[in-house]
Amino acid sequence: MRISQLAERCGVPATTLRFYESAGLLSADRTPAGYRMYGEDAVERLAFIGAAKHLGLPLEEIVELLAVWQAGACKDVKADLRPRIAARLAEAEVRAAELAAFTASLHTALAHLDALPDRAEPCDPGCGFLAPSSPAGARPVDVVLSPSRQAAEQDAERWRTAPVACSLTGDSLHERTAQWHEAIDGAVRTAIPDGLRLTLPAARTAAVASLAADEQQCCPFFDFRLHLDGQELHLEVRAPAGGTGLLTDLFGPAA
């Protein structure tokens, strides 16, 4: 089939097919007049390329993988592909963790902004949103969720004096509790001063950070700290003495 026919059949633009040829991903025979001609194997090859691209593999890796695939041994393709997918997964989890940390900081900043009084005076450094932002390209590793950024700067342990009370009641409270139990299912629990450390897969960072940010809105006496360590997420939760029972009910006892 000609390039226009292959393009229509596979839904891949002719310009992309020409690029694939120059990149070593796809080959074509030539007619005496110089037209590209493709066999049925090109359809299967394009499907393989599309699947590899969907996994986030760069073109140079797809070229390498195609060479293994062409050899015909499925076990070799599996052995070659697995570490490539694992590497993409690790990268995706890091990006998800960074996004979760950023989302959590936005939740905290928004809560602080809403708590600021409506003053007629000009803004000053006392306004938390005037604090310098993180340097460009900084990659968060630790995330601390306390009642507000300004409070954290003025008193890192403000949570100790916050009222031990939750604004959620009824179905809302039961739903939040169920969400936490699902998010921390299977966590390894370790006692720490004033609280508990839960060790979870890093893939759960986004869900945990979102829940922690929401929890701060209804239970400001909880202090959350998230630490990413490779493929693990360490969630530390602290509460004042009066909140120990609530902490245990929500996050379970230490091992």
Side-chain angles (χ1 to χ4, degrees), residues 112 116 124-132 149-150 153:
H112 171 57
L116 287 174
D124 58 45
C127 299
F129 56 84
L130 292 181
R149 180 179 292 276
Q150 185 181 36
E153 292 172 349

PDB file of all heavy atoms in Angstrom, residues 112 116 124-132 149-150 153:
ATOM      1  N   HIS A 112      -5.251  30.349  54.421  1.00  0.00           N
ATOM      2  CA  HIS A 112      -4.660  31.498  55.118  1.00  0.00           C
ATOM      3  C   HIS A 112      -5.192  32.810  54.555  1.00  0.00           C
ATOM      4  O   HIS A 112      -5.527  33.725  55.303  1.00  0.00           O
ATOM      5  CB  HIS A 112      -3.140  31.460  54.976  1.00  0.00           C
ATOM      6  CG  HIS A 112      -2.462  32.709  55.468  1.00  0.00           C
ATOM      7  ND1 HIS A 112      -2.615  33.173  56.742  1.00  0.00           N
ATOM      8  CD2 HIS A 112      -1.646  33.593  54.827  1.00  0.00           C
ATOM      9  CE1 HIS A 112      -1.908  34.289  56.890  1.00  0.00           C
ATOM     10  NE2 HIS A 112      -1.333  34.563  55.731  1.00  0.00           N
ATOM     11  N   LEU A 116      -7.345  35.960  56.557  1.00  0.00           N
ATOM     12  CA  LEU A 116      -6.817  37.309  56.767  1.00  0.00           C
ATOM     13  C   LEU A 116      -7.957  38.322  56.880  1.00  0.00           C
ATOM     14  O   LEU A 116      -8.954  38.221  56.166  1.00  0.00           O
ATOM     15  CB  LEU A 116      -5.905  37.711  55.603  1.00  0.00           C
ATOM     16  CG  LEU A 116      -4.530  37.050  55.534  1.00  0.00           C
ATOM     17  CD1 LEU A 116      -3.823  37.457  54.253  1.00  0.00           C
ATOM     18  CD2 LEU A 116      -3.693  37.433  56.742  1.00  0.00           C
ATOM     19  N   ASP A 124       1.350  44.403  53.722  1.00  0.00           N
ATOM     20  CA  ASP A 124       2.681  44.470  54.318  1.00  0.00           C
ATOM     21  C   ASP A 124       3.213  43.057  54.476  1.00  0.00           C
ATOM     22  O   ASP A 124       2.508  42.081  54.188  1.00  0.00           O
ATOM     23  CB  ASP A 124       2.637  45.213  55.662  1.00  0.00           C
ATOM     24  CG  ASP A 124       1.679  44.551  56.645  1.00  0.00           C
ATOM     25  OD1 ASP A 124       1.707  43.304  56.760  1.00  0.00           O
ATOM     26  OD2 ASP A 124       0.901  45.268  57.297  1.00  0.00           O
ATOM     27  N   PRO A 125       4.455  42.884  54.939  1.00  0.00           N
ATOM     28  CA  PRO A 125       5.025  41.537  55.062  1.00  0.00           C
ATOM     29  C   PRO A 125       4.244  40.613  55.974  1.00  0.00           C
ATOM     30  O   PRO A 125       4.457  39.395  55.949  1.00  0.00           O
ATOM     31  CB  PRO A 125       6.435  41.810  55.615  1.00  0.00           C
ATOM     32  CG  PRO A 125       6.758  43.180  55.105  1.00  0.00           C
ATOM     33  CD  PRO A 125       5.458  43.937  55.172  1.00  0.00           C
ATOM     34  N   GLY A 126       3.340  41.143  56.789  1.00  0.00           N
ATOM     35  CA  GLY A 126       2.525  40.293  57.640  1.00  0.00           C
ATOM     36  C   GLY A 126       1.539  39.451  56.852  1.00  0.00           C
ATOM     37  O   GLY A 126       0.992  38.477  57.365  1.00  0.00           O
ATOM     38  N   CYS A 127       1.297  39.850  55.607  1.00  0.00           N
ATOM     39  CA  CYS A 127       0.406  39.064  54.754  1.00  0.00           C
ATOM     40  C   CYS A 127       1.184  37.865  54.215  1.00  0.00           C
ATOM     41  O   CYS A 127       2.188  38.040  53.531  1.00  0.00           O
ATOM     42  CB  CYS A 127      -0.110  39.912  53.596  1.00  0.00           C
ATOM     43  SG  CYS A 127      -1.053  41.356  54.126  1.00  0.00           S
ATOM     44  N   GLY A 128       0.716  36.679  54.502  1.00  0.00           N
ATOM     45  CA  GLY A 128       1.469  35.474  54.121  1.00  0.00           C
ATOM     46  C   GLY A 128       1.706  35.337  52.636  1.00  0.00           C
ATOM     47  O   GLY A 128       2.712  34.788  52.207  1.00  0.00           O
ATOM     48  N   PHE A 129       0.780  35.875  51.813  1.00  0.00           N
ATOM     49  CA  PHE A 129       0.943  35.671  50.385  1.00  0.00           C
ATOM     50  C   PHE A 129       2.019  36.558  49.790  1.00  0.00           C
ATOM     51  O   PHE A 129       2.331  36.447  48.616  1.00  0.00           O
ATOM     52  CB  PHE A 129      -0.384  35.884  49.639  1.00  0.00           C
ATOM     53  CG  PHE A 129      -1.028  37.229  49.873  1.00  0.00           C
ATOM     54  CD1 PHE A 129      -0.651  38.338  49.138  1.00  0.00           C
ATOM     55  CD2 PHE A 129      -2.012  37.357  50.831  1.00  0.00           C
ATOM     56  CE1 PHE A 129      -1.255  39.554  49.354  1.00  0.00           C
ATOM     57  CE2 PHE A 129      -2.622  38.584  51.054  1.00  0.00           C
ATOM     58  CZ  PHE A 129      -2.247  39.688  50.320  1.00  0.00           C
ATOM     59  N   LEU A 130       2.619  37.441  50.639  1.00  0.00           N
ATOM     60  CA  LEU A 130       3.732  38.258  50.152  1.00  0.00           C
ATOM     61  C   LEU A 130       5.073  37.586  50.413  1.00  0.00           C
ATOM     62  O   LEU A 130       6.110  38.128  50.051  1.00  0.00           O
ATOM     63  CB  LEU A 130       3.719  39.633  50.834  1.00  0.00           C
ATOM     64  CG  LEU A 130       2.548  40.545  50.454  1.00  0.00           C
ATOM     65  CD1 LEU A 130       2.669  41.883  51.179  1.00  0.00           C
ATOM     66  CD2 LEU A 130       2.521  40.779  48.952  1.00  0.00           C
ATOM     67  N   ALA A 131       5.054  36.416  51.063  1.00  0.00           N
ATOM     68  CA  ALA A 131       6.311  35.726  51.340  1.00  0.00           C
ATOM     69  C   ALA A 131       6.949  35.273  50.040  1.00  0.00           C
ATOM     70  O   ALA A 131       6.253  34.916  49.088  1.00  0.00           O
ATOM     71  CB  ALA A 131       6.054  34.515  52.240  1.00  0.00           C
ATOM     72  N   PRO A 132       8.296  35.283  49.942  1.00  0.00           N
ATOM     73  CA  PRO A 132       8.966  34.860  48.707  1.00  0.00           C
ATOM     74  C   PRO A 132       8.580  33.447  48.347  1.00  0.00           C
ATOM     75  O   PRO A 132       8.456  32.579  49.209  1.00  0.00           O
ATOM     76  CB  PRO A 132      10.463  34.970  49.054  1.00  0.00           C
ATOM     77  CG  PRO A 132      10.520  35.899  50.232  1.00  0.00           C
ATOM     78  CD  PRO A 132       9.240  35.694  50.990  1.00  0.00           C
ATOM     79  N   ARG A 149       0.558  29.071  56.451  1.00  0.00           N
ATOM     80  CA  ARG A 149       1.986  29.311  56.270  1.00  0.00           C
ATOM     81  C   ARG A 149       2.482  30.352  57.264  1.00  0.00           C
ATOM     82  O   ARG A 149       3.549  30.217  57.855  1.00  0.00           O
ATOM     83  CB  ARG A 149       2.255  29.766  54.832  1.00  0.00           C
ATOM     84  CG  ARG A 149       3.737  30.032  54.567  1.00  0.00           C
ATOM     85  CD  ARG A 149       3.939  30.445  53.125  1.00  0.00           C
ATOM     86  NE  ARG A 149       3.669  29.347  52.243  1.00  0.00           N
ATOM     87  CZ  ARG A 149       4.569  28.413  51.936  1.00  0.00           C
ATOM     88  NH1 ARG A 149       5.772  28.439  52.446  1.00  0.00           N
ATOM     89  NH2 ARG A 149       4.256  27.446  51.110  1.00  0.00           N
ATOM     90  N   GLN A 150       1.720  31.427  57.468  1.00  0.00           N
ATOM     91  CA  GLN A 150       2.141  32.471  58.394  1.00  0.00           C
ATOM     92  C   GLN A 150       2.248  31.909  59.805  1.00  0.00           C
ATOM     93  O   GLN A 150       3.210  32.189  60.526  1.00  0.00           O
ATOM     94  CB  GLN A 150       1.133  33.615  58.377  1.00  0.00           C
ATOM     95  CG  GLN A 150       1.568  34.805  59.241  1.00  0.00           C
ATOM     96  CD  GLN A 150       0.532  35.914  59.232  1.00  0.00           C
ATOM     97  OE1 GLN A 150      -0.662  35.651  59.198  1.00  0.00           O
ATOM     98  NE2 GLN A 150       0.988  37.142  59.252  1.00  0.00           N
ATOM     99  N   GLU A 153       5.353  29.899  60.186  1.00  0.00           N
ATOM    100  CA  GLU A 153       6.553  30.711  60.291  1.00  0.00           C
ATOM    101  C   GLU A 153       6.677  31.334  61.681  1.00  0.00           C
ATOM    102  O   GLU A 153       7.768  31.459  62.223  1.00  0.00           O
ATOM    103  CB  GLU A 153       6.530  31.807  59.230  1.00  0.00           C
ATOM    104  CG  GLU A 153       6.654  31.284  57.821  1.00  0.00           C
ATOM    105  CD  GLU A 153       6.442  32.353  56.777  1.00  0.00           C
ATOM    106  OE1 GLU A 153       5.990  33.455  57.130  1.00  0.00           O
ATOM    107  OE2 GLU A 153       6.739  32.086  55.611  1.00  0.00           O
TER     108      GLU A 153
END
